[in-house]
Amino acid sequence: MADEGDPIEAGRMTIPGAVERAAERYGDGEALVDGDLRLSFRDLAARVDEAARALVAWGLGPGDRVAIWAPNMAEWVIAALGAYRAGAVVVTVNTRFKGGEAAHVLRTSGARLLFTVTDFLDTDYVGLLDAVAPEERPTTLEQIVVLRGPVPDGTLGWEALLARAGEVDPAVTAERAAAIKPEDVGTIIFTSGTTGAPKGAMLRHGASTRAYHAWSDIVGLREGDRYLIINPFFHTFGLMAGILACVLRGATILPHPVFDVPSVMRRVDEERITMLPGPPAIYQTILDHPDLDKYDLSTLRLAVTGSATVPVEMVRRMRSELTFKTIVTGYGLTETTGVTTMCRHDDDPETIANTAGRPIPGVEVRVVDDDGNELPPGEPGEVVARGYNVMAGYYGDPGATVTTIDEDGWLHTGDIGVFDERGNLKITDRKKDMFVVGGFNAYPAEIENMIMRHPAVGQVAVIGVPDHRLGEVGKAFVVPRAGATIDPDELIAWCRGEMANYKVPRSVEVVDSLPLNASGKVLKYVLRERAAASSPSSSS
């Protein structure tokens, strides 16, 4: 059995192995709490095996892709861990996606089965898929399983699937789990890039267990911690730094489906939460909330934040006005299994707020010039990373893999950063033109490709502009097609029906032309200057 103090040994585990180990080591400790459901680690392992046996009975084979398109909830945890145990690869789908975006993920990954819901925030995900144009539908998808909500004709309910578990001997799933190797790909998480088409980063079992062993060490997550997981399970932060970290350390998983500060404060009070990760906005809102004194938040001990600018004063207030002992920021990409560098618990507030910390153990991080030469502290360049945590590649896209990971194994992030004299990394420029909306990465090329589908749009360029509440939001500069007119409000409304809400531009400016360089590339910096000049105060 892997020793908790040995990160190398942790990397020899698989995710199903971690679940088995948790059942043995943490037994009756509380593993998963969701509403009236309260499962021990032993109970969780039994539920996971039940789901795995049901999937095998359905016909799932080793290496098959199983997608999950659902909010944070107990069924997500059990379905994902069950799929891993059956030998499948888990593909996550962003809950904010519209039907066409989800269909792209399902189609590209070749998913055979989809777990989803039909009644989350008045949204029927099955209905969204049904509305997708026939030529865009995923042809490999054989079965939709509805975890919660009404079960439409042609789909299967979660309980109906689980009823098939008795058809398979537990020895079969035990054998499936034992056959998985640490170097095998266990998860595909889609991340967008400058080409605009989301690509599936393939993450290995052993890299995931080792990385989040190190992550848990640095954060100080320990047995008995109660972890309110606000970060969505479809992201590495929710799946790996949430579910997997809890399984590795014996902490309680408490899924939280919707980012809503009053409900978060209430659950912290009621469930005695010790670990609360999230974007800076959640802590800022809690600190400034008029009802703060109505809740007992004294159990809070651990915070992990990032994805946006972290104010130094907020870090100080989290320690002085709340009870956080450890506040950590970090830097990672989906392509690095979600974690690359992290601050340490004893860093001062300035270091936590202004840097992304030092590389995690076993991972190399450099800042290099355009020729790949390492730059000294103080000089900015591209951030590159190498180590066990680097993805196996992009699923079905060897060309994109080769352009991202060089022949020496360095993953080129496209981010610009600089090291200080103490070895702390500061990210100075965003990945290509990416901007962050309330903690979600938004990629202009992807948004532009979607807007170009509008019949009145001839050209479009999207940039991120400051926003007080969300950090940044999109602004679109649009050139109408010849003879067409564009109403900004109507175009924004159209976008809301076509893409996840964080991608939707909050403002549209109709222009006669876009600024171009000699090769025809849009000069985004000119648009940023124009936006800053025309709107010096941020909007919400």
Side-chain angles (χ1 to χ4, degrees), residues 22 106 111 146 197 217 250 270-271 314 317 364 401 462 487 514 518:
L106 297 172
V146 177
D217 267 351
E270 292 172 355
E271 290 289 349
M314 187 191 80
R317 290 183 66 196
E364 300 174 85
T401 301
V462 174
D487 178 281
L514 297 173

Side-chain angles (χ1 to χ4, degrees), residues 312-327:
V312 176
E313 185 58 28
M314 187 191 80
V315 176
R316 293 195 179 106
R317 290 183 66 196
M318 287 171 69
R319 286 180 170 168
S320 62
E321 298 176 34
L322 299 173
T323 56
F324 286 107
K325 301 291 187 293
T326 299
I327 303 164

Side-chain angles (χ1 to χ4, degrees), residues 93-162:
V93 185
N94 190 322
T95 52
R96 298 186 176 212
F97 277 3
K98 302 300 184 183
E101 296 166 301
H104 170 82
V105 170
L106 297 172
R107 193 172 59 248
T108 305
S109 65
R112 287 187 64 201
L113 183 145
L114 169 67
F115 288 110
T116 191
V117 295
T118 53
D119 62 352
F120 177 58
L121 297 179
D122 298 322
T123 301
D124 174 2
Y125 291 135
V126 175
L128 290 180
L129 271 184
D130 286 343
V132 171
E135 65 273 14
E136 294 183 15
R137 291 179 184 170
T139 57
T140 58
L141 188 63
E142 300 171 35
Q143 183 69 66
I144 295 176
V145 177
V146 177
L147 297 173
R148 285 189 193 175
V151 181
D153 290 343
T155 66
L156 188 64
W158 174 235
E159 294 299 331
L161 175 69
L162 293 179

Side-chain angles (χ1 to χ4, degrees), residues 112-354:
R112 287 187 64 201
L113 183 145
L114 169 67
F115 288 110
T116 191
V117 295
T118 53
D119 62 352
F120 177 58
L121 297 179
D122 298 322
T123 301
D124 174 2
Y125 291 135
V126 175
L128 290 180
L129 271 184
D130 286 343
V132 171
E135 65 273 14
E136 294 183 15
R137 291 179 184 170
T139 57
T140 58
L141 188 63
E142 300 171 35
Q143 183 69 66
I144 295 176
V145 177
V146 177
L147 297 173
R148 285 189 193 175
V151 181
D153 290 343
T155 66
L156 188 64
W158 174 235
E159 294 299 331
L161 175 69
L162 293 179
R164 298 196 60 182
E167 300 172 26
V168 174
D169 191 291
V172 174
T173 45
E175 189 176 326
R176 284 273 187 104
I180 302 168
K181 300 180 179 63
E183 60 270 22
D184 289 344
V185 171
T187 314
I188 299 175
I189 298 182
F190 277 72
T191 177
S192 298
T194 54
T195 61
K199 299 183 290 293
M202 298 185 288
L203 309 181
R204 298 180 176 94
H205 277 271
S208 301
T209 54
R210 182 175 173 184
Y212 288 93
H213 170 95
W215 185 93
S216 299
D217 267 351
I218 293 167
V219 172
L221 189 68
R222 63 195 185 207
E223 183 177 355
D225 268 326
R226 301 181 66 77
Y227 189 150
L228 189 65
I229 307 181
I230 296 167
N231 303 91
F233 288 161
F234 62 74
H235 189 275
T236 52
F237 206 160
L239 174 53
M240 301 298 182
I243 296 170
L244 180 57
C246 286
V247 167
L248 289 169
R249 285 306 161 93
T252 307
I253 300 164
L254 293 106
H256 198 73
V258 181
F259 176 78
D260 170 67
V261 170
S263 68
V264 167
M265 293 194 294
R266 185 169 59 252
R267 289 196 77 192
V268 170
D269 185 337
E270 292 172 355
E271 290 289 349
R272 317 309 295 144
I273 300 298
T274 60
M275 168 64 157
L276 181 66
I282 188 171
Y283 307 111
Q284 196 74 61
T285 307
I286 288 172
L287 285 164
D288 297 336
H289 202 280
D291 296 332
L292 177 60
D293 60 356
K294 294 182 180 177
Y295 299 97
D296 179 3
L297 309 184
S298 62
T299 53
L300 290 173
R301 191 180 94 255
L302 307 177
V304 181
T305 189
S307 300
T309 303
V310 181
V312 176
E313 185 58 28
M314 187 191 80
V315 176
R316 293 195 179 106
R317 290 183 66 196
M318 287 171 69
R319 286 180 170 168
S320 62
E321 298 176 34
L322 299 173
T323 56
F324 286 107
K325 301 291 187 293
T326 299
I327 303 164
V328 174
T329 52
Y331 165 70
L333 311 168
T334 305
E335 291 90 338
T336 60
T337 318
V339 58
T340 311
T341 66
M342 293 181 72
C343 289
R344 303 312 196 255
H345 66 87
D346 54 354
D347 283 338
D348 58 68
E350 287 75 17
T351 299
I352 294 167
N354 296 320

